């Protein structure tokens, strides 16, 4: 098995096999650009414990990123979550694994990313013909999850912030305008069902979650960006997040 190489970007290692050196350079550039967007827009920093991996298999990603202290536990419990990991890997463009003391981001190379394209992605996002640009978007999305992991955000906000950060990286909206029709009035109503249907063939709840999160965050960003920045300044109870958002919209 080829030895993994590491390329540093903004203090974050990009871990890759030798044959993915060019892709690693693109990911390193994306790390630096994403770090700049997160700091300037939201006042967020990439955690120093984060690392980025070229994601070619879920098994290798887990084995390469798991801290030594968790290796035995992961090996013993693997039969319990193996099928769920296989289903998620089939449809995910990227992953963020929150290990103890380490946040591992995995991003698929262009060929695997194209093979993972799903109906939910086509319904949510504007087409991105440039396959390397799509890799940048996925990397930015997952890096944003790493930057907000300590906040324990409600799922709708977690996804909305990540999607809106990609907008700022791209310099344009990246979500289809017709997804507005999927938005539900109360984003918190989606939280209990969040992510449950990944790989199940029933995308309705996920579509509503992503669309509602995106348009709620975009509305906040465009209408009252300081409030959104304040929401992201520290960990808050979910009821407080809902209150702050509603007050920003004049919905007291």
């Amino acid at each position: 098995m080829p030895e993994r190489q590491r390329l540093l970007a903004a203090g974050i290692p990009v871990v890759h096999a030798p044959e993915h050196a060019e892709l690693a350079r693109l990911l390193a550039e994306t790390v630096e650009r994403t770090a700049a967007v997160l700091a300037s827009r939201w006042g967020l920093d990439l955690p120093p414990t984060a690392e980025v991996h070229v994601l070619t298999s879920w098994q290798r990603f887990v084995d390469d990123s798991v801290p030594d202290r968790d290796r035995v536990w992961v090996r013993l419990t693997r039969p319990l979550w193996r099928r769920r990991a296989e289903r998620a890997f089939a449809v995910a463009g990227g992953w963020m694994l929150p290990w103890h003391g380490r946040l591992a981001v995995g991003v698929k190379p262009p060929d695997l990313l194209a093979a993972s394209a799903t109906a939910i992605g086509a319904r949510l996002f504007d087409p991105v013909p440039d396959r390397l640009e799509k890799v940048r978007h996925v990397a930015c999305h997952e890096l944003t999850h790493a930057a907000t992991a300590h906040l324990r955000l409600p799922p709708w906000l977690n996804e909305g912030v990540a999607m809106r950060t990609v907008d700022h990286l791209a310099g344009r909206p990246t979500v289809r305008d017709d997804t507005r029709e999927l938005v539900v009035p109360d984003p918190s109503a989606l939280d209990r069902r969040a992510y449950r249907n990944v790989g199940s063939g029933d995308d309705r709840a996920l579509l509503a979650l992503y669309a509602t999160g995106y348009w709620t965050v975009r509305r906040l960003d465009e209408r009252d960006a300081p409030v959104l920045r304040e929401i992201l300044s520290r960990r808050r109870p979910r009821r407080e997040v809902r209150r702050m958002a509603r007050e920003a919209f004049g919905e007291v």
Side-chain angles (χ1 to χ4, degrees), residues 106-125:
V107 182
K108 287 181 175 178
D111 55 341
L112 290 181
L113 191 58
S116 300
T118 62
I120 188 171
R123 179 69 180 88
L124 282 170
F125 300 108

Side-chain angles (χ1 to χ4, degrees), residues 7-14 23-41 44-46 52 136 139-140 143-144 165 168-169:
L7 177 64
L8 279 180
I12 305 299
V14 179
L23 178 61
R25 287 191 288 271
L26 179 140
L27 290 173
E29 176 196 351
T30 304
V31 169
E32 293 176 348
R33 290 176 57 192
T34 301
V37 171
L38 289 168
S40 63
R41 197 71 196 181
L44 293 169
D45 296 319
L46 287 174
V52 178
R136 291 188 188 96
C140 176
L143 285 164
T144 303
T165 304
H168 290 300
L169 181 82

Side-chain angles (χ1 to χ4, degrees), residues 117-185:
T118 62
I120 188 171
R123 179 69 180 88
L124 282 170
F125 300 108
D126 286 330
V128 182
D130 186 333
R131 299 202 308 169
L132 293 180
E133 183 65 18
K134 186 63 178 177
V135 170
R136 291 188 188 96
H137 291 188
V138 172
C140 176
H141 186 108
E142 299 303 330
L143 285 164
T144 303
H145 284 328
T148 60
H150 66 290
L151 299 174
R152 305 280 183 90
L153 299 175
W156 65 268
L157 183 57
N158 189 45
E159 295 300 340
V161 169
M163 295 164 77
R164 185 59 174 161
T165 304
V166 174
D167 283 0
H168 290 300
L169 181 82
R172 66 183 186 280
T174 57
V175 174
R176 290 174 49 144
D177 195 63
D178 62 2
T179 56
R180 293 174 188 264
E181 66 192 42
L182 302 172
V183 173
V184 300

